[in-house]
Amino acid sequence: MNASRKNYPLLILIMVFLFLMSSRSFGQFMESQAEGTSLPEKEYNRQSGLWLGVYTKYKIGQKLFYYGEYHMRRRDRLVQNMAQIYLRFGLSYLINEKLEVTGGIVTPFYWAPEDLYTSQEQIDKVINQFRFWQQFLFVQTMGRVKIYHQIRTEQRWKRDYLVGSPFELTHRMRYKITSYIPLNKPKLQDKTLFFSGYNEIFIQAGKSIVYNYFEDNRLFLGLGYVINEKFQLQAGYMKSIQQRERGFDLNNRDIIRFSIYHNLDFTKAKKQVKAREIKPVL
């Protein structure tokens, strides 16, 4: 037990190193992609933001769960302007202890970055999107450390901010590798402080996607706390390198994230187990 705890700092350092190398390699790939074309020289647009999120997972059957995400995101000097309201709904089915599938709908609302448009252009200050989404979640155990592999696909009907712009269908695939490492207890249970980190890559396709097939890469490092089996808290820093439509201009985003995770069990066959392990909401 003590030997395992002594390995925690090494495990965290390894995770940080792998995440940083992944993010750096992705940035180098996008740069080489731009350099291999006749596009203008790359431009980096530095941004900052604050993302607040609530994640819910409610057990409604023996292997069936309601899944929900509710986000408010602000941008520019962290909180100066509104960015998005993001609502994700789905149903999850637990195939076994290591595999879960989820599907549902998403209804995000976007606030227009008005500085990108001229005063002569008529824009809608808030637009929405329509999406379907599917997800496969694989769980890998390495001693007391849990690693989650998340593959998510989305079909998105989105439009420009210009008044009268039509909706166009695009497709997006996301792969995220996440790790949770309990720091003060052997597993995620009541009153557990834990380290969390992930790296997620976004790839998109469609008729309107020409230069930015690699849409985004997000690196997150943070700390979390399990209050009890119903509530968990998490806070941390996220670096996002986002490739824009023209391909040569990139958003370099620094984002602070605060999240609340809420679990409930609505089934009647609940069984209380002392100090049982709590699964993260993913």
Side-chain angles (χ1 to χ4, degrees), residues 148-165:
Y148 296 83
H149 302 272
Q150 177 182 290
I151 299 173
R152 181 177 288 182
T153 56
E154 296 174 311
Q155 301 79 47
R156 305 182 295 177
W157 283 266
K158 61 180 185 177
R159 47 159 292 199
D160 194 89
Y161 293 100
L162 293 172
V163 173
S165 296

Side-chain angles (χ1 to χ4, degrees), residues 120-131:
Q120 289 75 33
E121 293 176 308
Q122 292 185 325
I123 63 172
D124 291 317
K125 293 188 176 181
V126 182
I127 63 172
N128 62 330
Q129 291 185 11
F130 304 96
R131 304 182 189 178

Side-chain angles (χ1 to χ4, degrees), residues 81-92:
N81 295 311
M82 190 67 185
Q84 297 174 25
I85 293 291
Y86 199 101
L87 306 174
R88 184 183 296 273
F89 312 95
L91 286 176
S92 298

Side-chain angles (χ1 to χ4, degrees), residues 39-85:
L39 294 174
E41 186 177 351
K42 298 179 299 298
E43 297 178 3
Y44 290 90
N45 179 30
R46 197 67 182 263
Q47 297 180 347
S48 63
L50 175 66
W51 289 11
L52 306 177
V54 176
Y55 296 77
T56 59
K57 196 169 187 179
Y58 300 152
K59 188 174 183 179
I60 56 177
Q62 184 177 1
K63 293 189 174 183
L64 192 64
F65 299 81
Y66 164 77
Y67 180 88
E69 294 181 19
Y70 322 99
H71 300 271
M72 184 184 74
R73 300 173 178 175
R74 299 192 68 86
R75 63 168 180 247
D76 305 324
R77 298 179 182 176
L78 287 181
V79 297
Q80 185 175 7
N81 295 311
M82 190 67 185
Q84 297 174 25
I85 293 291

